[in-house]
Amino acid sequence: GAGVSQSPSNKVTEKGKDVELRCDPISGHTALYWYRQSLGQGLEFLIYFQGNSAPDKSGLPSDRFSAERTGGSVSTLTIQRTQQEDSAVYLCASSWMMGEGPQHFGDGTRLSIL
Amino acid sequence: QQQVKQSPQSLIVQKGGISIINCAYENTAFDYFPWYQQFPGKGPALLIAIRPDVSEKKEGRFTISFNKSAKQFSLHIMDSQPGDSATYFCAASDNYGQNFVFGPGTRLSVLP
């Protein structure tokens, strides 16, 4: 596709459930980033991938969060045992490679935990 | 040292006026400074970016001014329009893109 695609666009789930968020980057982009944006707030960096490798996972808020990327393309962000404080918009971005070119963002997944 | 400070938090400007948003950083390793524009329900979109080898970059009504010695950069929107009403984020990254930091954002409202 022409841009970064994220799915689902909206997700409502009950506290304690697991959720999986998907990001399909721009074709050919090797770097992929995940951010979290709470209502009316700035962007909180979570994790980045260069290819399939995520060298620094320290930005993930807790061990309930994990991310993977296979085949150098699609990435999934998984949140286990969701809590109400996990409610936010999760944004994905991609760039040609780390440090090269701007980050292009998807429109995010709005996650609401009841 | 990884923070990027941004001000003001919100800004109201009359149509046709100049909108100015300021950012400051500490990490001297930063060498790429983009500005992003975000409309409600959408992801941020790159607006304009600058590297520290120039002091100013202009694209249409949007200008970045960069002061390397002061470690500050600003976005100027000339002839502001109601369609410019959005949240603007400054950001900074180092040469390797591994440290990519966003400012907290400025909510701009341009009154008709």
XYZ file of all heavy atoms in Angstrom, chain A residues 33 35 37 40-43 45 48 91 98-108 110, chain B residues 32 36 38 41-46 51 89 94-98 100 102-105 107:
359
model
N 8.623 1.512 13.961
C 8.568 2.072 15.313
C 7.150 1.952 15.863
O 6.175 2.117 15.137
C 8.939 3.562 15.288
C 10.152 3.920 14.462
C 10.064 4.021 13.077
C 11.387 4.190 15.067
C 11.165 4.366 12.304
C 12.486 4.538 14.302
C 12.364 4.618 12.928
O 13.457 4.952 12.169
N 4.676 3.633 18.940
C 4.497 4.699 19.917
C 3.134 4.532 20.576
O 2.218 3.928 20.030
C 4.523 6.084 19.257
C 5.827 6.477 18.621
C 6.125 6.118 17.311
C 6.770 7.228 19.326
C 7.316 6.491 16.724
C 7.965 7.613 18.736
C 8.227 7.238 17.441
O 9.409 7.607 16.857
N 0.126 7.020 22.413
C -0.312 8.405 22.600
C -1.586 8.384 23.432
O -2.629 7.931 22.969
C -0.562 9.095 21.253
C -0.872 10.577 21.375
C -0.967 11.265 20.020
O -1.407 10.680 19.035
N -0.542 12.523 19.966
N -4.803 13.546 24.218
C -4.303 14.902 24.348
C -2.850 15.011 24.737
O -2.380 16.103 25.078
N -2.141 13.902 24.671
C -0.739 13.898 25.099
C 0.215 13.716 23.918
O -0.215 13.523 22.781
C -0.511 12.766 26.115
C -1.366 12.881 27.361
C -1.070 14.154 28.135
O 0.088 14.468 28.432
N -2.115 14.900 28.457
N 1.495 13.775 24.202
C 2.513 13.562 23.180
C 2.725 12.097 22.899
O 1.956 11.236 23.330
N 3.763 11.807 22.149
C 4.053 10.441 21.733
C 5.073 9.805 22.669
O 6.153 10.348 22.881
C 4.588 10.424 20.302
C 3.559 10.654 19.205
C 3.246 12.125 19.037
C 4.046 10.066 17.907
N 7.556 6.806 23.050
C 8.234 5.788 22.251
C 8.205 4.448 22.988
O 8.497 4.372 24.170
C 9.676 6.222 21.984
C 10.526 5.161 21.357
C 10.397 4.884 20.010
C 11.426 4.436 22.107
C 11.172 3.902 19.424
C 12.213 3.460 21.536
C 12.086 3.190 20.182
N 11.536 0.005 18.625
C 11.773 0.083 17.186
C 12.392 -1.216 16.696
O 13.024 -1.960 17.453
C 12.665 1.282 16.831
C 14.143 1.084 17.122
C 14.989 0.475 16.204
C 14.688 1.540 18.317
C 16.340 0.307 16.466
C 16.037 1.376 18.595
C 16.858 0.764 17.668
O 18.190 0.591 17.943
N 0.378 4.028 17.871
C 0.794 4.470 16.544
C 2.015 3.693 16.089
O 2.921 3.403 16.876
C 1.140 5.963 16.564
C -0.035 6.924 16.742
C 0.461 8.281 17.216
C -0.803 7.076 15.455
N 16.951 3.039 9.797
C 17.228 3.830 10.989
C 18.118 5.011 10.610
O 19.160 4.847 9.990
C 17.925 2.990 12.045
C 17.044 1.926 12.654
S 15.664 2.599 13.566
C 16.515 3.392 14.920
N 17.673 6.196 10.992
C 18.473 7.386 10.759
C 18.430 7.910 9.341
O 19.089 8.898 9.020
N 17.657 7.284 8.485
C 17.577 7.717 7.104
C 16.129 8.050 6.754
O 15.279 7.168 6.712
C 18.083 6.612 6.163
C 19.561 6.330 6.277
C 20.416 7.453 5.730
O 19.913 8.226 4.898
O 21.592 7.554 6.148
N 15.868 9.310 6.507
C 14.537 9.686 6.083
C 13.567 9.841 7.230
O 13.823 9.373 8.340
N 12.467 10.497 6.961
C 11.484 10.749 8.011
C 10.692 9.496 8.362
O 10.661 8.531 7.614
C 10.565 11.794 7.381
C 10.617 11.476 5.915
C 12.028 11.024 5.661
N 10.048 9.546 9.508
C 9.133 8.483 9.897
C 7.753 8.793 9.316
O 7.276 9.913 9.402
C 9.047 8.383 11.419
C 10.352 7.957 12.063
C 10.217 7.723 13.553
O 9.121 7.574 14.083
N 11.341 7.666 14.238
N 7.153 7.792 8.727
C 5.806 7.919 8.185
C 4.871 7.143 9.103
O 5.087 5.960 9.345
C 5.743 7.360 6.765
C 6.616 8.100 5.797
N 6.155 9.144 5.046
C 7.925 7.959 5.480
C 7.146 9.609 4.295
N 8.222 8.905 4.550
N 3.828 7.807 9.574
C 2.938 7.228 10.568
C 1.667 6.661 9.958
O 1.137 7.196 8.979
C 2.533 8.282 11.603
C 3.589 8.587 12.613
C 4.615 9.461 12.324
C 3.564 7.985 13.863
C 5.607 9.745 13.262
C 4.537 8.267 14.816
C 5.561 9.141 14.507
N 1.163 5.604 10.585
C -0.192 5.158 10.334
C -1.165 5.990 11.157
O -0.744 6.883 11.910
N -2.450 5.704 11.023
C -3.457 6.465 11.755
C -3.742 5.878 13.136
O -4.581 6.402 13.870
C -4.750 6.553 10.949
C -4.615 7.504 9.770
O -3.742 8.401 9.832
O -5.370 7.347 8.788
N -3.070 4.806 13.474
C -3.151 4.299 14.837
C -4.295 3.338 15.096
O -5.236 3.213 14.316
N -6.963 2.807 18.150
C -7.495 3.369 19.394
C -7.956 2.219 20.268
O -8.920 1.518 19.935
C -8.648 4.327 19.102
C -9.193 5.015 20.347
C -10.268 6.029 19.964
N -9.744 7.071 19.095
C -9.131 8.171 19.516
N -8.991 8.380 20.807
N -8.686 9.053 18.651
N 18.959 15.962 13.438
C 17.831 15.958 12.511
C 16.625 16.431 13.298
O 16.316 15.872 14.350
C 17.613 14.549 11.950
C 16.406 14.402 11.048
C 16.342 15.052 9.820
C 15.331 13.607 11.429
C 15.235 14.907 8.998
C 14.224 13.458 10.608
C 14.174 14.102 9.395
O 13.087 13.962 8.586
N 6.109 17.678 12.932
C 4.975 16.875 12.504
C 3.680 17.603 12.824
O 3.567 18.327 13.817
C 4.979 15.508 13.206
C 6.010 14.541 12.686
C 7.329 14.593 13.121
C 5.671 13.581 11.748
C 8.281 13.709 12.638
C 6.602 12.684 11.259
C 7.904 12.756 11.711
O 8.845 11.880 11.231
N -0.472 16.941 13.303
C -1.423 15.861 13.553
C -2.837 16.414 13.681
O -3.100 17.279 14.523
C -1.062 15.082 14.827
C -1.954 13.879 15.081
C -1.570 13.101 16.324
O -1.050 13.656 17.287
N -1.821 11.789 16.315
N -7.713 12.104 15.126
C -8.020 10.818 14.528
C -7.028 10.356 13.483
O -7.221 9.297 12.870
N -5.989 11.117 13.270
C -4.981 10.777 12.268
C -3.619 10.651 12.923
O -3.379 11.180 14.003
C -4.915 11.852 11.182
C -6.198 11.978 10.366
C -6.440 10.747 9.524
C -7.632 10.922 8.616
N -7.890 9.689 7.803
N -2.712 9.935 12.237
C -1.350 9.885 12.728
C -0.611 11.155 12.379
O -1.024 11.913 11.497
N 0.507 11.444 13.054
C 1.309 12.623 12.718
C 1.848 12.515 11.294
O 2.175 11.420 10.826
C 2.453 12.567 13.743
C 1.957 11.697 14.837
C 1.049 10.705 14.197
N 1.937 13.630 10.623
C 2.470 13.673 9.267
C 3.623 14.663 9.230
O 3.524 15.769 9.783
C 1.384 14.088 8.277
N 4.713 14.266 8.572
C 5.868 15.142 8.469
C 5.501 16.416 7.730
O 4.926 16.387 6.641
C 7.004 14.438 7.738
C 8.270 15.265 7.544
C 8.948 15.506 8.889
C 9.217 14.595 6.576
N 18.325 20.109 9.125
C 19.553 19.614 9.726
C 20.369 20.821 10.156
O 20.210 21.918 9.622
C 20.314 18.720 8.748
C 19.589 17.408 8.466
C 20.487 16.365 7.860
N 19.783 15.123 7.572
C 19.669 14.112 8.427
N 20.208 14.194 9.620
N 19.017 13.014 8.084
N 4.038 18.763 16.602
C 5.087 18.154 17.416
C 6.445 18.452 16.791
O 6.648 18.221 15.600
C 4.926 16.634 17.483
C 3.684 16.167 18.177
C 2.538 15.870 17.469
C 3.678 16.007 19.558
C 1.391 15.431 18.117
C 2.540 15.565 20.211
C 1.387 15.281 19.495
N 19.290 11.536 16.505
C 20.718 11.560 16.223
C 20.980 10.978 14.839
O 20.053 10.608 14.121
C 21.497 10.819 17.306
C 21.096 9.347 17.412
O 20.554 8.782 16.436
O 21.333 8.765 18.473
N 22.228 10.911 14.485
C 22.613 10.503 13.144
C 22.168 9.085 12.815
O 21.966 8.751 11.664
C 24.128 10.624 13.006
C 24.591 10.457 11.575
O 23.964 10.975 10.666
N 25.655 9.724 11.380
N 21.993 8.278 13.839
C 21.649 6.887 13.595
C 20.152 6.621 13.741
O 19.705 5.521 13.506
C 22.435 5.979 14.548
C 23.922 6.144 14.384
C 24.658 6.922 15.271
C 24.582 5.549 13.318
C 26.021 7.083 15.106
C 25.940 5.708 13.153
C 26.657 6.476 14.038
O 28.003 6.642 13.877
N 19.403 7.655 14.153
C 17.957 7.508 14.288
C 17.534 6.631 15.441
O 16.368 6.297 15.574
N 18.500 6.250 16.277
C 18.130 5.376 17.377
C 17.544 6.141 18.552
O 16.845 5.585 19.373
C 19.340 4.561 17.815
C 19.805 3.587 16.740
C 21.020 2.809 17.165
O 21.532 2.994 18.253
N 21.484 1.928 16.305
N 15.113 8.946 18.924
C 14.145 9.790 18.237
C 13.166 10.258 19.293
O 12.398 9.466 19.831
C 13.434 8.999 17.142
C 12.851 9.864 16.054
C 13.467 9.964 14.823
C 11.676 10.580 16.280
C 12.931 10.762 13.813
C 11.138 11.378 15.287
C 11.763 11.465 14.041
N 10.222 13.056 20.682
C 9.206 14.031 20.327
C 8.986 15.015 21.475
O 9.056 14.646 22.648
C 7.876 13.337 20.034
C 7.801 12.715 18.675
C 8.330 11.449 18.450
C 7.220 13.389 17.612
C 8.266 10.871 17.195
C 7.155 12.819 16.351
C 7.677 11.556 16.141
N 8.690 16.259 21.120
C 8.218 17.218 22.102
C 6.784 16.877 22.502
O 6.141 16.056 21.860
N 6.268 17.502 23.539
C 4.926 17.184 24.053
C 3.786 17.690 23.186
O 2.640 17.323 23.406
C 4.910 17.847 25.431
C 5.907 18.943 25.336
C 6.974 18.468 24.397
N 4.067 18.543 22.210
C 3.025 18.996 21.305
C 2.470 20.373 21.638
O 2.481 20.813 22.793
N -1.059 22.577 20.661
C -2.360 22.573 20.002
C -2.619 23.980 19.455
O -2.761 24.937 20.220
C -3.455 22.159 20.977
C -4.842 22.096 20.352
C -5.832 21.426 21.280
N -5.482 20.028 21.504
C -6.279 19.171 22.150
N -7.420 19.568 22.645
N -5.893 17.930 22.326
